[in-house]
Amino acid sequence: MNGMTFRIGAIAGVPVHFSIWYLILMVFFVQDMGGPVEMVLFGIAMTVSLLVHEMGHAMVAKWQGLDPSVTLHGMGGHCTHLPASSAKRDAVLVAAGPGAGLALGLFAGAILLVVDNAGAPMPYVADQFLTYMLWIGIVWSIFNLLPIFPLDGGKLTRLALLGVFGPKSGHKIAHISSLVFCAGALAMAIVTKQIFVGLIVAYFAYQNWQLLQAGADVFGGGRARRQPDPQAAALLLQAEDALEDGDHKEAQRLAYVARSMSGTTDQMEAHAWEIVCIAAQRFGQPSECERLASRATQTPRLLESLILCALARGDRSTALGLTQNSNFNKLPAQARQDLKARIG
Ligand SMILES: [Zn+2]
């Protein structure tokens, strides 16, 4: 879901992105709202509530100097940022989202109550809007606090388990318990015929399963100098997806975040640099690509990027020299042919 995302601006210095999938999510929720007025009001209330939730995370991340960015997408929203420097700080950051969402909902409820007590008539539109804000604030915050990773409740549970059992066992217990709660939530979604919730929970289950596998991979080897973090491995996978989708900025951003995590092995770090370099070349920053290339895993596709960088500078002799690299012959025949044609 990394493609089809566009930046719409910034709130308090935090970049805000919208995915086309968010519109689909909104249409899904809005369609049962009765009239067009209710649909518009609900759409606005939902967007404001989600933004306030994500901005709750983002403001704490900004305060901690973690370069946050917010995206509304097909499953709600997320706030990406550099990793917090301690588990305690991370917990504050995670709790700030549902905290802000709940506060907004209760604030809307308080206005309704005060106006009602004063006996003053409230215009229908305002009344309806505040009612939606109240319910979305409460329901979304409670859903988010379920102990299922990657929901906020699941993240807080994971942090606590890592603290108690250490990285290896904590990781395992966190994602196994998430899977157990997913099974429960899935059963409830099926019984109550909440197809959409069911699909989201099924996707969460899949993510937890993947993270369990990633954990088995990184912890299984035991050769790493540092304790590797499966989250960093998962981020690299996401960065690869973004690169494939043509969302180069997002690929580079995710690779930077993965690289900066404390549990990144040398191998993962070189992989992250490789993505950063290729993405830089593809969005038209050849000098950036060439500058960082020595830190990256030397792969055929990186070589291809470096040849294109040299060509972008009009430096044919360097490009020609790079074709002597052994990785050149590992490129697909079509790619080799295209490059040779461009070098001339
Ligand atoms: Zn959140």
Side-chain angles (χ1 to χ4, degrees), residues 53 57 144 152:
H53 175 113
H57 294 305
N144 247 286
D152 292 325

Side-chain angles (χ1 to χ4, degrees), residues 8-342:
I8 52 129
I11 301 174
V14 176
V16 177
H17 303 84
F18 268 87
S19 161
I20 210 85
W21 293 99
Y22 179 68
L23 295 177
I24 295 168
L25 176 79
M26 191 147 77
V27 168
F28 180 86
F29 275 110
V30 153
Q31 59 176 350
D32 291 333
M33 285 302 136
V37 175
E38 288 79 6
M39 289 163 92
V40 170
L41 289 176
F42 191 87
I44 298 172
M46 176 174 149
T47 305
V48 170
S49 300
L50 288 182
L51 276 176
V52 165
H53 175 113
E54 298 309 330
M55 284 307 293
H57 294 305
M59 291 323 289
V60 176
K62 198 182 166 192
W63 172 63
Q64 295 185 8
L66 304 177
D67 192 20
S69 117
V70 162
T71 305
L72 292 190
H73 55 62
M75 291 196 297
H78 69 211
C79 169
T80 37
H81 50 79
L82 297 172
S85 58
S86 71
K88 225 179 222 170
R89 285 177 154 236
D90 204 5
V92 174
L93 204 164
V94 173
L102 203 57
L104 180 74
L106 294 177
F107 180 65
I111 297 177
L112 283 169
L113 207 65
V114 168
V115 173
D116 190 48
N117 274 348
M122 184 173 322
Y124 172 75
V125 168
D127 183 75
Q128 201 64 18
F129 181 71
L130 290 170
T131 306
Y132 288 149
M133 294 282 270
L134 170 64
W135 284 111
I136 295 171
I138 290 174
V139 171
W140 186 244
S141 303
I142 290 176
F143 177 70
N144 247 286
L145 286 170
L146 291 176
I148 295 175
F149 192 89
L151 292 173
D152 292 325
K155 286 182 182 164
L156 289 171
T157 310
R158 182 174 190 276
L159 281 169
L161 290 168
L162 290 177
V164 174
F165 297 104
K168 189 174 173 176
S169 307
H171 175 80
K172 209 169 172 180
I173 297 169
H175 294 296
I176 288 175
S177 75
S178 275
L179 279 170
V180 171
F181 279 103
C182 278
L186 200 58
M188 270 176 70
I190 290 170
V191 169
T192 56
K193 297 198 171 72
Q194 295 283 332
I195 305 298
F196 185 73
V197 176
L199 283 174
I200 289 190
V201 172
Y203 181 65
F204 288 162
Y206 169 71
Q207 278 187 312
N208 279 289
W209 177 251
Q210 272 201 322
L211 285 166
L212 261 182
Q213 302 301 310
D217 281 354
V218 262
F219 291 126
R223 279 205 329 247
R225 189 161 52 81
R226 282 163 279 178
Q227 187 73 283
D229 185 346
Q231 304 293 337
L235 270 176
L236 279 177
L237 291 179
Q238 284 179 36
E240 285 285 356
D241 280 348
L243 197 64
E244 208 168 300
D245 285 356
D247 193 351
H248 304 127
K249 290 262 180 203
E250 179 69 0
Q252 194 176 68
R253 202 175 58 77
L254 290 167
Y256 267 125
V257 176
R259 193 201 68 81
S260 65
M261 293 177 92
S262 55
T264 312
T265 61
D266 292 346
Q267 199 185 356
M268 286 156 85
E269 193 164 326
H271 183 185
W273 283 121
E274 188 208 353
I275 294 172
V276 165
C277 288
I278 293 170
Q281 180 262 318
R282 291 188 188 168
F283 65 70
Q285 292 186 343
S287 57
E288 189 77 354
C289 172
E290 290 178 319
R291 189 170 67 82
L292 301 170
S294 64
R295 306 186 197 179
T297 315
Q298 303 301 313
T299 58
R301 62 178 188 170
L302 177 65
L303 183 72
E304 181 179 28
S305 278
L306 286 171
I307 293 173
L308 292 171
C309 287
L311 288 173
R313 285 188 291 109
D315 183 353
R316 285 169 181 233
S317 66
T318 299
L320 195 63
L322 287 169
T323 62
Q324 301 305 310
N325 188 300
S326 61
N327 271 331
F328 187 74
N329 289 323
K330 294 179 195 154
L331 281 168
Q334 186 62 48
R336 287 201 306 262
Q337 225 168 47
D338 290 348
L339 287 170
K340 278 182 176 160
R342 292 182 67 163

